[in-house]
Amino acid sequence: MILLRNLSYGRGSEPLVTDASVQLHPGWKIGLVGANGCGKSSFFALLRGELHQESGDLEFPGAWTVAHVGQETPALPQPALEFVLDGDVELREVEQAIAVAEAAHDGERIGALHARYAEIEGYSAKARAAELMSGLGFSNSDFERPVAEFSGGWRVRLNLGRALMCRSDLLLLDEPTNHLDLDAVLWLEGWLKRYPGTLLLISHDRDFLDAVMSHILHFDQCRLKLYTGNYSAFERARAEQLALQQAMHEKQQREVAHLHSYIERFRAKATKARQAQSRIKALARMEEVAAAHVDTLFTFGFREPVAMPDTLLELRDAVAGYGDKAVIANANLFIRPGERIALLGRNGAGKSTLVKMLAGVLPPLSGLRREGKGLSIGYFAQHQVESLRPEESPLQHLMRLDKTTREQDHRNFLGSFDFRGEMATQPCGPFSGGEKSRLALALLIWQRPNLLLLDEPTNHLDLDMREALTLALQETDAAVVLVSHDRHLLRTTADSLYLVDAGKMTPFEGDLDDYANWLAEQRNAASSAMPDESKAARREARENAEKNRQQLLAQRRPLVKEAEKLEKLMPGWQQEKDQLDERLGDPALYSNPDRTLLESLLKRQAQLANDIEHAEMRWLEIQEQLEGLAG
């Protein structure tokens, strides 16, 4: 087990956790939750030996193999599949040892190593690595591409695949869904459910935590508290604890009453569409969720748009793409105020390309894109934080947008995003990813858009900030087009779903559960189309590999034994011949010759020379045969 006994640690002079005592048992799947900067990632650094506690004890079995996702991936010429395979360290060690043993013609060692190779499923390793890469969104053509050719986000996926390839006892995952789209998130969720070891996972994805976790470890005010159950169970327990505090209880009642009135208004006008009905259920659940987050530092809402035209944006037979390459053809969409649209689709289907066309960043290759009079777009792109000026503070960014508003009003607005006091005037360059995402959202909201185009807006945001964004989106009258892997956000925000697939955008008649089933059907169809990837084929491949190995060993064994016998005989023969040569070269032997002895010595000398020559020739023949078998 992992045992914490009166453990305290920090970063620099800042304490993160003090006097923590917790037991984490083998096979548990533990979600680490808490505000950004509370010490979750530092706890991983402790487990990896990269950080040392200030006091107390942290113990876990020294024999455990620990896997984690590397922070950096150098621009390697190595094929992507081989990079992922390197995650299984013992596999690579056994492969290298086999090569050494074969070069040394050590038959017994070769047999033992191949037996171990079979035990660790080495014969199916490439198939397993390919399956991991496919689940994470890589195509078959990506397997042999050099690592250096992939972008930063895709290299993060390669690092994740490499960590999953490791046959670990303890798996440490820090925000593994940040660079994944929804289909990869769903695949990873299923994989982690089947993972047999101990899992420690940092995530701000509520549905992901609910589906995978057996326990929640909460980091709060330098303390650790372990809860049994998934994230929803943790929220219920935390809401009950907060309710014991009078001020928090009163705030809970106000929040729940406000949310309840909104839900009833939405229920009255909701359509009968499956996703709209799913949204009603998700919103009803938010009354319970809100009670667990009343102590949040985030209290913002979307500002009322300056104008709200009846038609915001229209696409008619629009083709989205780059240069002369069409990605999506004949897209038709009519967006009015209050519309809540989510775009679904597998990785690379063109969701982000479509959003760029809606935003006007990419003009349509053909067809019509028409803006309504008074349209004001708030576009949050996947890499929105890169547009921030690192040398400027949040306050300077906001004043650049609006020079007429009083500084105190700017400060009050930034405070609702937890940019308070000195933080509002500090350069944003050193900010964390979550803090930069919060700032980018704050700047977007200040501009009072009437059409929100949000492409993965929750990346790097913690759970409290995600919850605040979810609540704010319920209140705004602006239209919303959303791409996200956060299913909670999709369920509570979207009334209608569109599927981007096979170069088309079509309404999806169903909800997110139906979409998950559709993805599973697509994966099954792809597996059926590639019989080599099937379990039966992999089993047959393993059996054939084992059969070939046994045949190879059967051919090698007598050759190796014969070579070893010759290697033992030849030194003795050579030594005896050298002694005979020396004796026959002594003149004293011929001064009073014993003819019988001399003939015997000469005959033995000739015999040894002949035996040595034939033995050397045979040894060379054996080596050629062994090299042929090895090739």
Side-chain angles (χ1 to χ4, degrees):
M1 72 173 71
I2 301 172
L3 178 64
L4 283 63
R5 190 184 299 111
N6 304 122
L7 181 73
S8 298
Y9 65 89
R11 286 280 189 184
S13 60
E14 179 187 4
L16 294 173
V17 170
T18 57
D19 201 30
S21 295
V22 176
Q23 290 183 5
L24 307 176
H25 291 270
W28 281 8
K29 294 178 171 62
I30 304 119
L32 278 59
V33 301
N36 285 336
C38 67
K40 302 185 296 294
S41 296
S42 295
F43 183 60
F44 278 10
L46 272 174
L47 290 167
R48 295 197 303 267
E50 298 168 2
L51 181 69
H52 298 287
Q53 63 264 37
E54 294 170 1
S55 62
D57 299 305
L58 171 62
E59 300 174 3
F60 67 95
W64 273 11
T65 298
V66 181
H68 71 282
V69 179
Q71 295 298 310
E72 299 292 335
T73 309
L76 300 170
Q78 183 182 25
L81 185 69
E82 296 299 321
F83 177 82
V84 171
L85 278 166
D86 284 348
D88 192 334
V89 175
E90 187 184 3
L91 175 82
R92 291 310 205 191
E93 289 175 347
V94 173
E95 287 177 343
Q96 187 175 6
I98 288 173
V100 171
E102 287 178 343
H105 312 299
D106 188 341
E108 186 175 343
R109 176 73 172 151
I110 291 169
L113 287 169
H114 274 286
R116 180 57 185 162
Y117 198 65
E119 287 174 10
I120 64 175
E121 299 183 323
Y123 297 107
S124 63
K126 283 197 173 181
R128 286 186 286 117
E131 185 178 345
L132 288 174
M133 291 183 67
S134 296
L136 293 172
F138 293 91
S139 64
N140 290 351
S141 61
D142 289 329
F143 295 169
E144 297 304 319
R145 284 178 59 196
V147 172
E149 289 186 5
F150 292 93
S151 65
W154 283 99
R155 290 189 199 176
V156 172
R157 295 193 192 207
L158 285 174
N159 272 335
L160 176 57
R162 185 171 173 145
L164 300 184
M165 189 67 197
C166 177
R167 290 172 295 104
S168 57
D169 302 292
L170 174 62
L171 178 58
L172 308 176
L173 295 180
D174 191 345
E175 291 289 1
T177 64
N178 257 0
H179 293 274
L180 304 182
D181 43 19
L182 184 53
D183 52 334
V185 169
L186 290 167
W187 175 86
L188 179 61
E189 186 178 283
W191 193 95
L192 291 176
K193 285 179 183 177
R194 299 187 299 273
Y195 174 66
T198 303
L199 171 66
L200 293 183
L201 180 137
I202 300 170
S203 178
H204 298 140
D205 187 325
R206 175 192 311 277
D207 281 39
F208 195 77
L209 289 167
D210 265 351
V212 178
M213 297 299 104
S214 64
H215 294 76
I216 298 294
L217 186 61
H218 186 213
F219 289 64
D220 184 41
Q221 299 179 4
C222 294
R223 300 288 178 179
L224 296 186
K225 185 174 177 63
L226 184 66
Y227 294 80
T228 299
N230 62 12
Y231 187 76
S232 291
F234 155 73
E235 280 188 319
R236 286 191 293 271
R238 178 157 170 74
E240 291 169 3
Q241 292 170 11
L242 290 171
L244 297 176
Q245 306 171 36
Q246 183 62 31
M248 288 298 179
H249 175 71
E250 292 172 359
K251 190 176 180 183
Q252 279 181 341
Q253 298 307 305
R254 290 195 301 271
E255 287 290 329
V256 169
H258 173 73
L259 194 54
H260 184 74
S261 65
Y262 171 80
I263 293 166
E264 291 306 311
R265 291 198 307 274
F266 173 75
R267 191 190 305 273
K269 64 178 183 179
T271 69
K272 296 298 182 183
R274 186 173 173 88
Q275 174 56 26
Q277 294 302 307
S278 291
R279 187 180 173 202
I280 290 175
K281 295 177 184 176
L283 288 171
R285 156 112 171 77
M286 282 184 67
E287 293 184 32
E288 181 181 289
V289 170
H293 294 269
V294 292
D295 59 342
T296 180
L297 298 171
F298 312 115
T299 55
F300 65 89
F302 282 85
R303 305 173 78 209
E304 185 177 348
V306 175
M308 192 66 79
D310 182 59
T311 300
L312 293 169
L313 187 64
E314 179 184 5
L315 295 181
R316 189 183 300 166
D317 295 328
V319 176
Y322 303 88
D324 58 354
K325 181 184 178 183
V327 177
I328 298 173
N330 302 322
N332 291 283
L333 195 61
F334 199 81
I335 304 176
R336 291 188 172 91
E339 294 261 16
R340 303 301 176 93
I341 297 167
L343 301 179
L344 306 176
R346 290 175 293 181
N347 178 67
K351 301 184 296 295
S352 293
T353 301
L354 177 59
V355 174
K356 286 178 182 177
M357 183 169 69
L358 289 170
V361 175
L362 279 179
L365 301 181
S366 64
L368 175 70
R369 176 189 178 274
R370 183 164 58 194
E371 296 185 357
K373 187 177 180 181
L375 173 69
S376 175
I377 291 176
Y379 174 38
F380 188 97
Q382 284 196 38
H383 305 291
Q384 189 70 25
V385 296
E386 294 174 6
S387 65
L388 298 175
R389 297 173 177 83
E391 71 282 358
E392 292 188 5
S393 68
L395 186 59
Q396 286 173 310
H397 276 89
L398 201 53
M399 293 180 72
R400 183 185 287 274
L401 286 177
D402 181 357
K403 295 180 173 64
T404 61
T405 300
R406 292 187 314 129
E407 180 179 318
Q408 188 57 49
D409 291 336
H410 282 318
R411 284 181 175 272
N412 292 342
F413 177 75
L414 289 169
S416 66
F417 291 85
D418 198 28
F419 295 112
R420 296 179 169 87
E422 292 183 0
M423 195 171 185
T425 57
Q426 291 175 350
C428 68
F431 284 5
S432 69
E435 289 163 344
K436 289 177 180 176
S437 291
R438 268 194 277 135
L439 177 55
L441 274 171
L443 297 175
L444 180 150
I445 290 170
W446 182 263
Q447 297 173 70
R448 305 170 74 173
N450 49 31
L451 173 57
L452 295 166
L453 304 176
L454 306 177
D455 191 353
E456 296 292 359
T458 61
N459 275 355
H460 304 293
L461 298 182
D462 65 21
L463 279 156
D464 280 340
M465 180 60 188
R466 289 187 184 206
E467 195 58 36
L469 175 62
T470 302
L471 288 169
L473 285 170
Q474 310 310 317
E475 300 288 343
T476 182
D477 291 326
V480 179
V481 177
L482 177 65
V483 176
S484 180
H485 63 258
D486 188 322
R487 284 161 287 172
H488 176 68
L489 181 64
L490 291 172
R491 284 194 177 97
T492 54
T493 303
D495 294 330
S496 56
L497 305 177
Y498 280 78
L499 177 63
V500 180
D501 185 60
K504 298 178 182 178
M505 181 192 72
T506 54
F508 185 79
E509 302 298 337
D511 59 14
L512 288 181
D513 293 331
D514 296 314
Y515 176 65
N517 293 334
W518 179 84
L519 282 172
E521 290 171 3
Q522 297 297 306
R523 280 194 291 269
N524 291 337
S527 296
S528 299
M530 293 187 294
D532 287 343
E533 295 298 317
S534 68
K535 290 183 179 179
R538 289 200 297 270
R539 184 167 57 250
E540 183 180 353
R542 286 197 299 271
E543 290 171 354
N544 288 337
E546 178 64 15
K547 183 179 178 181
N548 291 337
R549 184 180 71 84
Q550 293 296 343
Q551 291 175 347
L552 182 64
L553 285 175
Q555 295 176 58
R556 287 177 58 89
R557 195 172 290 115
L559 292 172
V560 170
K561 284 186 176 181
E562 185 180 356
E564 289 173 349
K565 182 179 179 181
L566 290 173
E567 288 166 1
K568 289 178 181 177
L569 289 172
M570 283 192 292
W573 289 345
Q574 189 62 54
Q575 184 179 9
E576 184 182 355
K577 182 177 178 297
D578 290 343
Q579 291 172 349
L580 278 174
D581 290 345
E582 184 178 354
R583 187 174 180 184
L584 288 168
D586 184 358
L589 181 65
Y590 303 97
S591 60
N592 187 17
D594 181 339
R595 189 172 297 276
T596 303
L597 175 62
L598 187 59
E599 288 179 357
S600 174
L601 293 175
L602 289 169
K603 185 177 179 181
R604 181 58 180 164
Q605 182 190 45
Q607 180 66 46
L608 286 170
N610 185 63
D611 288 347
I612 290 170
E613 182 182 1
H614 281 87
E616 288 176 343
M617 292 293 294
R618 177 57 184 157
W619 187 86
L620 289 171
E621 289 174 3
I622 291 172
Q623 298 312 305
E624 289 180 3
Q625 289 178 277
L626 288 173
E627 287 175 9
L629 290 172

